Amino acid sequence: MAIIIEGKKLAQKIRENLKVECDKLKAEGIQPKLAVIMVGDNPASKIYIKNKSKACDQVGIKYEEYLLSESTSQKELLGLIGKLNKDETVNGILLQSPIPSHLNINQAFKKITYLKDVDGFTPSSVGKLAIGEDTFISCTPHGIIKMFDEYGISLNGKHVVIIGRSNIVGKPLLQCCLNRNATVTICHSKTKDLKKHTQNAEILISAVGKPKFVTKDMVKPGAVVIDVGMNRDENGKLVGDVDFENVEPIASYITPVPGGVGPMTIAMLMYNVIKATKLQKANNEEF
Ligand code: NAP
């Protein structure tokens, strides 16, 4: 029987601590504010931004939403980001992905000024993470690292296998684990004999996006299993990538879906908004 990593509870604790930080900033006359841009009408994105807005309320962060139509041009999107970059009342800018395919998301991320990059997706943040400097770490990998810390799971010298190499999860997670002295294998759709790799993992992290993708035979007994996947099963129920029922009995630790990585991702977004607000305050005091 595995220990269940309770991301939901930990996220609540993080939000409560951040509320104290947020109240201190407010007492100094600073109201932290997050601006969220959504382009088009993606139903999953609507749920994600609703959850982000709720978390902002709980922490005391002001939340502002910019809902752009599906036909928005790249110029309009970049124009809005430019405006928010200059707006001194905005501390964090988040562009909700996916955006319509006629738009260039990397160019849009690049336009976000570093000090407001609360998702950690700009080249500056990605580069700083790669060379081990303090920066905005993208929220899902950061949330996973926080869970390891809270549960006393050391990465030092451990073999971590990550399935998935996206820019928002797999790649920054690889850097985070390397920075913690893990030996990391990163797998993707072109990896040959995936099972051979996953069976060697002391810590297995799945970010694929397919229900029941990670089965018991892929997991080394005693492994820590982290499920990033957020999928809908045939009944519309939220499920992860891991066949939880069969994997849980052989794992040492496991994250549930829902209630695992998801709430931690949002808590770390709140963390980044407070961090951004403090950095901007320090920057203003310097000049
Ligand atoms: P993504 O961009 O679609 O990446 C999926 C990755 O899985 C890709 O690297 C892909 O390989 C790999 N993959 C697909 N099929 C595979 C196979 N048969 N064998 C091995 N690797 C395979 O997705 P993402 O944005 O990283 O998200 C992944 C999942 O995490 C989704 O369910 C998403 O909803 C969820 N998610 C959850 C949170 C959270 O807070 N819990 C946050 C972000 C994402 P290629 O690169 O070769 O295509």
Side-chain angles (χ1 to χ4, degrees):
M1 288 284 276
I3 293 174
I4 308 293
I5 300 181
E6 297 187 69
K8 194 175 170 186
K9 257 194 196 164
L10 177 55
Q12 188 185 340
K13 194 169 100 181
I14 292 170
R15 285 197 308 270
E16 282 164 9
N17 291 338
L18 289 171
K19 186 175 184 329
V20 175
E21 298 290 309
C22 190
D23 286 345
K24 277 189 206 156
L25 287 163
K26 285 185 189 169
E28 294 175 42
I30 299 165
Q31 168 62 67
K33 181 156 102 180
L34 172 67
V36 171
I37 306 169
M38 184 172 125
V39 191
D41 199 26
N42 183 306
S45 293
K46 277 188 185 163
I47 297 173
Y48 297 150
I49 65 169
K50 196 172 147 216
N51 290 339
K52 288 168 187 174
S53 144
K54 209 168 121 191
C56 281
D57 268 358
Q58 287 163 341
V59 174
I61 295 168
K62 195 165 176 203
Y63 175 89
E64 213 163 69
E65 218 167 70
Y66 294 84
L67 304 176
L68 306 185
S69 78
E70 188 83 26
S71 62
T72 299
S73 68
Q74 185 75 10
K75 197 173 163 208
E76 285 166 327
L77 176 60
L78 296 181
L80 173 59
I81 295 173
K83 192 180 120 216
L84 296 171
N85 280 341
K86 286 196 201 115
D87 185 339
E88 286 182 6
T89 70
V90 171
N91 303 104
I93 303 171
L94 182 148
L95 173 60
Q96 182 65 44
S97 66
I99 61 176
S101 56
H102 67 276
L103 298 171
N104 180 337
I105 197 159
N106 283 338
Q107 193 189 40
F109 285 144
K110 226 181 268 177
K111 178 85 183 172
I112 298 173
T113 191
Y114 169 70
L115 283 179
K116 300 188 181 185
D117 180 21
V118 289
D119 249 342
F121 293 161
T122 64
S124 301
S125 300
V126 172
K128 281 173 176 240
L129 180 65
I131 58 171
E133 276 189 8
D134 180 52
T135 188
F136 295 103
I137 303 175
S138 78
C139 303
T140 302
H142 199 184
I144 292 171
I145 296 295
K146 282 272 171 204
M147 292 198 291
F148 290 147
D149 287 347
E150 181 73 14
Y151 281 81
I153 300 166
S154 164
L155 297 189
N156 201 25
K158 295 270 173 64
H159 185 195
V160 176
V161 176
I162 301 167
I163 322 174
R165 58 171 165 180
S166 70
N167 290 341
I168 65 165
V169 185
K171 285 181 197 158
L173 191 54
L174 160 73
Q175 295 297 345
C176 291
C177 294
L178 272 181
N179 291 346
R180 294 287 180 109
N181 297 323
T183 301
V184 191
T185 301
I186 187 152
C187 302
H188 46 79
S189 68
K190 308 290 184 291
T191 299
K192 286 183 191 148
D193 201 354
L194 179 65
K195 200 183 353 177
K196 192 183 90 198
H197 296 285
T198 61
Q199 280 174 337
N200 281 323
E202 293 172 281
I203 299 177
L204 178 61
I205 308 174
S206 181
V208 172
K210 293 181 181 164
K212 297 203 176 170
F213 183 81
V214 175
T215 46
K216 183 181 168 186
D217 57 320
M218 293 168 73
V219 179
K220 182 187 174 103
V224 175
V225 179
I226 306 294
D227 192 349
V228 181
M230 287 198 345
N231 316 298
R232 296 278 163 191
D233 71 5
E234 57 283 2
N235 305 314
K237 194 176 149 225
L238 182 65
V239 294
D241 287 349
V242 176
D243 178 5
F244 187 90
E245 197 188 330
N246 293 307
V247 170
E248 184 269 330
I250 64 158
S252 57
Y253 291 86
I254 192 165
T255 59
V257 178
V261 176
M264 287 301 291
T265 297
I266 298 182
M268 298 328 289
L269 172 66
M270 301 300 110
Y271 173 90
N272 279 348
V273 176
I274 298 296
K275 180 184 173 109
T277 309
K278 286 182 183 170
L279 281 175
Q280 287 155 41
K281 174 178 170 263
N283 222 34
N284 287 340
E285 283 164 0
E286 214 172 281
F287 295 104

